[in-house]
Amino acid sequence: MVYSDKILDHYNNPRNVGSLPKNDPNVGTGIVGAPECGDVMKLQVMVNEETGVIEDAKFKTFGCGSAIASSSLATEWLKGRTLEEAMRIKNTDIVNELSLPPIKIHCSVLAEDAIKAAINDYQKKREEIVHGNGKGAGKPVAAGPDLASKSS
Amino acid sequence: MKLPIYMDSHATTPCDPRVVEAMLPTFTQHFGNAASRNHSYGWEAEALVEKGREQIAALVNCSPKEIVFTSGATESDNLAIKGIAHMFADKGRHIITSVIEHKAVLDSCKRLEKEGFRVTWLPVGKDGLVKTSDVENAIEDDTILVTIMLANNEIGTLNPVGEIGHLCKAKGIFFHCDAVQGLAYEPVDVQEMGIDLLSISAHKMYGPKGIGALYVRRRNPRVRLDPIIDGGGHERGMRSGTLNVPGIVGLGKAAEIVLAERESDAARLRALRDHLRQRLTTELTDVTVNGSLEHRLPNNLNVSFAYVEGESMLMGIKDVAVSSGSACTSASLEPSYVLKALGVHDELAHSSIRFGLHRFTTREEVDYVADLMVRTVRRLREMSPLKEMADEGIDLKKVEWSKH
Ligand SMILES: Cc1ncc(COP(=O)(O)O)c(C=O)c1O
Ligand code: FES
């Protein structure tokens, strides 16, 4: 596979690798993909609750170079945007920016999904705080903040 | 040290310079057609072909008359399997093979299945080995052919082909063995191992591409094949077409060198491979070798580096030519069927790298690759959500992933 310079740049110098405190009420976490499929993306946003602006974004990705580059680019784009603006980021924007080949388009779809999952998680958290019902119960799913039951 | 470093010898090997040297005169001087009976050009070419036949025969301990030249092992596999099936369809319509064979074998068998033959696809254990007892249990009254490879091209595991050969002899069933990956490193004796048909490819043993051979037994029993290619009746009618004299000279020379140097080559490669394995497994955590270490080619190492995806590793070690079982590197986006057959979890199949050392691999190269591999895996694990979750004590198998 021949990669574009932009993919190589994000792969070699990924922006915003890391984690934000997932229990912080201002942090939204999205985890998409599955290890069996060869790609898992974790994307987190830290939102200023007053302005609705994303002040920080971090990612960790298990996947090919294009998946790493897509999530790195996504975090770069997220910072400084409002939630509404962030929701409008499309996978095709990522495809164009990174010149992803057709076979790698699903890596950009994953990044778009991760953005949406992170924002949805943040918004769910806010609702729960507003309605005062504390922590959400139910089955842990990878798209939510409480990833899974710890193994004993 | 020359970059990039080539460690993909299961895909192909570089030609040995001695092979190239032997081939050169066949292009401009001894360029005759080996089938030309009326002049010295033809006689010269024929002599070269017969010498090549002898060199290959010596490598596998058969008569030169039992060697049929082909365009490569894909053709040899097709000719052996379809040739037997079509010739002996009246005798029986059942074939036994394994799920980790090369596609040339698998797809030949699949085609026969479409034609109405029955095929038993034997599984392999976690060690990647076919069990002789499984072959025995699969034999039916109308089994005509067993086809099992000597060495697997992804994980380098070595099947008990001698045992399987003896079993087939005892039962009067033809035994075909794809020996492509093993010939340069393992002794093969078709008499001792009870092999009736053996596929050979030059470019996996330091010879040129586009030339191969099929050993076809002539005595005890005499094996007849229905040809796939019709024409001038070359190669005892089993494979028509003007002989590839340069290729045959190259294959012959490659076989001669292997016979002389196989043992020392194998010992040297085993030490280098073990050094690579040692470094990777001691300097990194969560590294698993796929398939048996004991029954394995000396030049193969197939390892999974948990929590990092194969293609991203290949990108990080771009000065090294290796391959991965990851779906992301394949056109089909499916992880390796061989690793799957071993019961390797899909996630670890995505994390696998195949190292194929070869005759010209140096210790310096091995250390360079080990350094780069360790650095790359560490860097990628720092950005791996799976590594982070595992470190937090989360059981990755219990997570409900959002598949897409
Ligand atoms: C085990 C095995 N069989 C057959 C082949 C096909 O050989 P060739 O490239 O000569 O057609 C290969 C090469 O990939 C192989 O590894
Ligand atoms: S993660 Fe598999 S192709 Fe990108």
Side-chain angles (χ1 to χ4, degrees):
Chain A
M1 179 96 31
V2 180
Y3 303 98
S4 71
D5 290 344
K6 280 186 181 155
I7 296 180
L8 287 173
D9 180 39
H10 278 282
Y11 173 83
N12 289 319
N13 313 293
R15 333 286 200 256
N16 310 307
V17 174
S19 298
L20 297 168
K22 64 178 178 236
N23 295 324
D24 185 318
N26 292 327
V27 169
T29 302
I31 297 186
V32 295
E36 304 95 273
C37 306
D39 36 36
V40 174
M41 246 178 227
K42 184 185 88 162
L43 204 142
Q44 293 182 301
V45 289
M46 161 111 45
V47 184
N48 181 320
E49 59 190 280
E50 268 147 39
T51 59
V53 169
I54 296 170
E55 293 186 331
D56 200 2
K58 296 263 184 225
F59 85 94
K60 285 202 172 189
T61 290
F62 164 82
C64 71
S66 303
I68 290 172
S70 297
S71 37
S72 168
L73 176 65
T75 58
E76 226 179 13
W77 280 351
L78 285 172
K79 283 202 217 178
R81 292 200 193 197
T82 64
L83 292 178
E84 289 72 36
E85 287 165 348
M87 281 304 246
R88 286 201 293 270
I89 296 175
K90 287 270 164 304
N91 85 289
T92 45
D93 303 333
I94 297 171
V95 170
N96 292 336
E97 174 69 14
L98 296 176
S99 314
L100 291 181
I103 196 165
K104 296 296 179 187
I105 286 175
H106 77 270
C107 312
S108 69
V109 173
L110 209 60
E112 182 187 324
D113 290 351
I115 295 173
K116 301 219 151 86
I119 294 174
N120 286 339
D121 179 55
Y122 168 77
Q123 285 170 336
K124 212 171 85 207
K125 262 189 191 171
R126 299 305 307 171
E127 267 169 42
E128 277 163 9
I129 290 167
V130 172
H131 295 101
N133 58 356
K135 271 202 170 155
K139 219 170 174 204
V141 292
D146 296 317
L147 295 173
S149 45
K150 300 224 170 182
S151 57
S152 44
Chain B
M1 200 171 51
K2 197 175 137 258
L3 295 178
I5 291 168
Y6 190 74
M7 273 203 194
D8 202 12
S9 63
H10 303 290
T12 194
T13 53
C15 251
D16 191 299
R18 292 168 287 181
V19 168
V20 178
E21 200 182 320
M23 289 172 72
L24 282 177
T26 64
F27 292 100
T28 49
Q29 283 169 268
H30 309 302
F31 58 83
N33 186 326
S36 297
R37 290 283 147 85
N38 310 319
H39 49 66
S40 61
Y41 288 94
W43 303 330
E44 259 170 23
E46 196 192 4
L48 289 173
V49 166
E50 293 318 310
K51 183 173 174 206
R53 232 185 265 289
E54 281 163 22
Q55 287 164 315
I56 297 156
L59 181 63
V60 299
N61 189 26
C62 70
S63 153
K65 294 195 182 103
E66 298 176 305
I67 295 295
V68 173
F69 289 112
T70 64
S71 63
T74 299
E75 186 187 335
S76 300
D77 288 345
N78 272 265
L79 177 57
I81 295 167
K82 294 176 186 169
I84 287 282
H86 292 150
M87 181 60 87
F88 295 97
D90 301 345
K91 270 190 64 187
R93 300 180 73 80
H94 180 238
I95 294 165
I96 298 171
T97 189
S98 85
V99 293
I100 63 162
E101 297 298 308
H102 189 265
K103 288 280 183 193
V105 168
L106 293 180
D107 289 356
S108 292
C109 290
K110 271 189 205 146
R111 176 154 328 258
L112 290 171
E113 214 167 32
K114 282 203 197 102
E115 292 175 15
F117 288 85
R118 299 182 333 281
V119 178
T120 298
W121 311 90
L122 295 177
V124 292
K126 211 173 157 333
D127 54 9
L129 300 173
V130 175
K131 284 204 208 60
T132 309
S133 57
D134 284 351
V135 178
E136 185 160 18
N137 293 334
I139 292 175
E140 296 181 19
D141 290 343
D142 67 339
T143 305
I144 48 172
L145 176 70
V146 171
T147 170
I148 300 290
M149 71 199 327
L150 170 62
N152 182 268
N153 44 297
E154 287 193 32
I155 52 176
T157 47
L158 292 166
N159 283 316
V161 293
E163 263 176 46
I164 296 170
H166 288 144
L167 170 70
C168 292
K169 270 279 95 76
K171 304 267 181 184
I173 298 167
F174 293 125
F175 178 43
H176 167 247
C177 176
D178 177 335
V180 167
Q181 293 287 345
L183 274 173
Y185 314 100
E186 297 292 321
V188 171
D189 181 327
V190 293
Q191 311 308 337
E192 210 173 88
M193 297 163 105
I195 296 167
D196 298 313
L197 300 124
L198 187 95
S199 294
I200 298 167
S201 180
H203 76 101
K204 314 279 185 177
M205 44 192 273
Y206 312 99
K209 291 162 192 58
I211 182 76
L214 181 66
Y215 155 73
V216 185
R217 182 177 285 281
R218 262 162 64 98
R219 293 218 323 255
N220 306 317
R222 180 184 186 90
V223 178
R224 288 173 306 138
L225 293 178
D226 203 26
I228 293 175
I229 297 178
D230 295 310
H234 309 71
E235 300 297 273
R236 296 192 283 139
M238 289 195 245
R239 207 287 193 171
S240 289
T242 297
L243 287 171
N244 172 359
V245 180
I248 291 166
V249 169
L251 172 55
K253 186 67 186 177
E256 182 190 286
I257 298 172
V258 165
L259 190 57
E261 300 177 3
R262 181 182 56 219
E263 245 173 87
S264 55
D265 248 6
R268 195 183 69 87
L269 287 170
R270 177 169 285 112
L272 286 180
R273 189 271 316 272
D274 288 343
H275 177 61
L276 178 62
R277 178 175 59 89
Q278 202 61 34
R279 284 207 52 193
L280 295 177
T281 52
T282 52
E283 292 173 37
L284 290 167
T285 59
D286 301 298
V287 177
T288 43
V289 176
N290 296 311
S292 167
L293 253 182
E294 189 190 346
H295 303 283
R296 193 186 198 94
L297 289 174
N299 65 322
N300 172 284
L301 187 64
N302 186 311
V303 271
S304 288
F305 300 91
Y307 317 125
V308 287
E309 188 279 324
E311 197 199 273
S312 66
M313 281 189 272
L314 296 189
M315 231 170 133
I317 55 166
K318 62 178 186 332
D319 287 341
V320 181
V322 290
S323 68
S324 166
S326 164
C328 306
T329 62
S330 80
S332 64
L333 291 181
E334 277 293 319
S336 149
Y337 69 89
V338 173
L339 295 179
K340 252 182 138 111
L342 256 61
V344 172
H345 234 261
D346 269 6
E347 143 203 359
L348 281 179
H350 288 291
S351 302
S352 71
I353 299 282
R354 176 186 72 180
F355 301 93
L357 283 59
H358 58 85
R359 187 178 283 162
F360 308 104
T361 301
T362 64
R363 191 173 169 102
E364 191 190 8
E365 287 180 330
V366 169
D367 278 317
Y368 182 93
V369 169
D371 286 343
L372 200 56
M373 214 53 236
V374 168
R375 242 185 296 138
T376 303
V377 170
R378 283 194 185 139
R379 186 174 93 86
L380 290 171
R381 278 183 179 168
E382 269 166 35
M383 56 171 115
S384 166
L386 301 182
K387 172 75 173 136
E388 179 181 73
M389 289 161 89
D391 286 347
E392 285 170 6
I394 293 168
D395 183 349
L396 296 176
K397 292 194 183 69
K398 295 213 178 102
V399 176
E400 206 176 292
W401 300 101
S402 62
K403 292 194 191 171
H404 55 109

